[in-house]
């Protein structure tokens, strides 16, 4: 979308899904925008009453959420490892090649803030705030529902590997959040499953689930035979992060984090658009346990400083491409 905002700097950061979030915040839902979960647009709508500017509200929410996410990520990692690893993990997240989406009008930063805060309270056995925050995450992005399984295991572990039904009840809020969204869609579009049905249309490229890694090799052939360089970036990022997921079984101490990481990765990794994967470089940025594993690997092999230089350069290039309106994910 061109010239969404009159301020040239803000306008240069509003691309693709950002326009959809602003549209929902201003006009509500229709069938075409049903794939976008409702909490982030609702937050934009509410904050707009203060800012009088939907785009400014979106940027304010995303960057405030990013600050909160950094705090909780640092705290979580420091509990399991060290302050040095925690600081490295936060840096890796902030300067991940596609981290520009955290600061734009996208739902990644709010989702990450809700998720990390939920883990924070869950670790302390405060299951009501953990469940509420988990439900907020589930209302922000579709993979939020996997927190139900991650927290169920965390609770099972805390209870001495026994299931406490009474303590587990608040966790029902997480999958229950999906029912709230379905009610919103039923009222707006007449189809409570519009968030899924809309994706499987020509407009959205018949997006559907296949099997893990579906289309990745096909994607690489687009690079080899048609010189589509984005295809290499897409599959390269996906496969490199798959390596981190696999190594996380060795490095991540908290198994509930591992559940979140594996399921959160497999959902987009198994999705295709017109038989070609799309969006993995963005979808993986919310999978924070991967950053922990990367920090540990870099520190162990004494190549953290080299990584800092490389990722800063790549991040800067991707940011410039994003501002220029080039598709990056």
């Amino acid at each position: 979308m061109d010239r969404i905002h009159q301020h040239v700097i803000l306008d240069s950061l509003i691309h693709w899904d950002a326009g959809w979030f602003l549209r929902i915040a201003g006009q509500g839902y229709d069938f075409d925008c049903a794939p976008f979960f409702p909490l982030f647009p609702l937050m934009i709508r509410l904050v707009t009453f203060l800012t009088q500017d939907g785009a400014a509200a979106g940027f304010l929410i995303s960057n405030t959420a990013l600050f909160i996410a950094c705090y909780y990520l640092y705290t979580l990692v420091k509990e399991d490892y060290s302050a040095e690893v925690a600081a490295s993990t936060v840096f890796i997240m902030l300067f991940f090649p596609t981290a520009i989406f955290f600061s734009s009008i996208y739902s990644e930063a709010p989702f990450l803030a809700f998720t990390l805060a939920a883990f924070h309270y869950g670790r302390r056995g405060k299951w009501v705030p953990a469940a509420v925050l988990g439900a907020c995450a589930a209302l922000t992005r579709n993979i939020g529902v996997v927190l139900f399984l991650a927290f169920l295991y965390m609770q099972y572990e805390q209870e001495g590997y026994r299931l406490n039904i009474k303590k587990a009840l608040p966790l029902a809020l997480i999958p229950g959040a999906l029912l709230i969204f379905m009610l919103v869609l039923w009222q707006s579009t007449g189809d409570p499953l519009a968030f899924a049905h809309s994706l499987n249309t020509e407009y959205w490229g018949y997006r559907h689930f296949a099997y893990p890694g579906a289309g990745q090799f096909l994607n690489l052939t687009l690079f080899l035979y048609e010189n589509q360089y984005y295809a290499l970036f897409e599959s390269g990022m996906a496969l490199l992060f798959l390596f981190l997921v696999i190594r996380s079984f060795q490095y991540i101490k908290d198994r509930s984090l591992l559940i979140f990481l594996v399921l959160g990765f497999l959902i987009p990794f198994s999705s295709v658009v017109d038989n070609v994967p799309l969006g993995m470089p963005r979808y993986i940025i919310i999978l924070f346990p991967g950053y922990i594993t990367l920090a540990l690997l870099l520190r162990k092999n004494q190549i953290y400083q080299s990584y800092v230089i490389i990722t800063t350069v790549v991040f800067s290039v991707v940011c410039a491409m994003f501002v220029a309106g080039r598709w990056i994910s």
Side-chain angles (χ1 to χ4, degrees):
M1 299 183 182
D2 295 327
R3 299 303 298 171
I4 290 178
H5 198 277
Q6 60 184 359
H7 195 291
V8 64
I9 295 178
L10 293 184
D11 186 70
S12 68
L13 294 171
I14 302 174
H15 300 294
W16 307 297
D17 289 4
W20 285 103
F21 285 121
L22 293 174
R23 171 178 164 177
I24 297 167
Q27 304 174 17
Y29 276 96
D30 57 35
F31 187 75
D32 287 339
C33 60
F36 299 95
F37 276 51
L39 188 52
F40 184 45
L42 176 60
M43 293 167 68
I44 292 174
R45 188 179 184 92
L46 293 175
V47 176
T48 298
F49 287 111
L50 298 176
T51 63
Q52 299 300 307
D53 184 324
F59 284 115
L60 178 62
I61 293 166
S62 289
N63 287 279
T64 301
L66 180 58
F67 178 82
I68 294 170
C70 288
Y71 168 77
Y72 281 114
L73 180 60
Y74 180 86
T75 301
L76 182 147
V77 179
K78 187 178 178 182
E79 288 174 352
D80 288 349
Y81 304 97
S82 67
E84 182 181 56
V85 173
S88 299
T89 302
V90 172
F91 176 87
I92 289 169
M93 180 184 75
L94 290 176
F95 287 90
F96 198 73
T98 49
I100 182 63
F101 290 107
F102 285 135
S103 297
S104 188
I105 306 176
Y106 279 73
S107 59
E108 274 75 6
F111 174 85
L112 198 56
F114 287 133
T115 298
L116 283 162
F119 271 105
H120 176 84
Y121 287 105
R123 282 185 163 198
R124 287 154 179 76
K126 298 180 179 179
W127 288 110
V128 172
V132 170
L133 288 162
C136 289
L139 282 170
T140 305
R141 293 190 63 82
N142 59 353
I143 73 162
V145 294
V146 307
L147 291 172
F148 173 74
L149 296 176
F151 290 159
L152 196 62
Y153 179 82
M154 182 190 292
Q155 197 175 84
Y156 175 72
E157 200 172 45
Q158 288 178 358
E159 293 295 314
Y161 298 97
R162 292 181 294 109
L163 184 60
N164 187 321
I165 300 297
K166 184 177 180 180
K167 284 190 175 182
L169 280 177
L171 298 181
L173 289 172
I174 299 173
L178 183 60
L179 296 177
I180 296 174
F181 186 32
M182 291 169 66
L183 288 173
V184 171
L185 292 177
W186 190 13
Q187 182 181 28
S188 303
T189 70
D191 181 2
L193 296 175
F195 65 92
H197 294 160
S198 178
L199 286 174
N200 197 23
T201 61
E202 183 178 5
Y203 187 87
W204 289 108
Y206 299 105
R207 187 183 296 255
H208 61 281
F209 283 110
Y211 54 87
Q216 292 295 342
F217 290 108
L218 174 61
N219 207 30
L220 289 174
T221 63
L222 294 176
F223 167 70
L224 293 173
Y225 296 106
E226 300 181 22
N227 295 321
Q228 294 189 19
Y229 290 95
Y230 173 74
L232 178 64
F233 178 66
E234 168 85 32
S235 287
M237 290 287 288
L239 295 175
L240 285 172
F241 207 85
L242 174 61
F243 168 76
L244 290 179
V245 172
I246 294 170
R247 294 304 303 269
S248 292
F249 283 87
Q250 177 183 354
Y251 286 97
I252 299 297
K253 299 176 182 178
D254 186 337
R255 294 303 169 184
S256 63
L257 293 181
L258 199 57
I259 291 170
F260 170 73
L261 173 64
V262 172
L263 295 180
F265 180 80
L266 285 176
I267 290 174
F269 194 57
S270 305
S271 301
V272 292
V273 180
D274 283 334
N275 295 318
V276 177
L278 186 68
M280 282 299 291
R282 174 164 68 94
Y283 297 148
I284 59 178
I285 66 173
I286 57 176
L287 302 177
F288 65 90
Y291 301 140
I292 302 172
T293 298
L294 182 54
L296 292 168
L297 283 169
L298 293 172
R299 288 290 180 186
K300 178 181 178 181
N301 293 285
Q302 299 182 340
I303 54 173
Y304 176 71
Q305 296 303 326
S306 299
Y307 174 84
V308 167
I309 297 171
I310 294 170
T311 195
T312 302
V313 172
V314 175
F315 171 76
S316 300
V317 171
V318 172
C319 285
M321 293 175 65
F322 182 83
V323 170
R326 297 288 298 274
W327 176 262
I328 60 172
S329 184

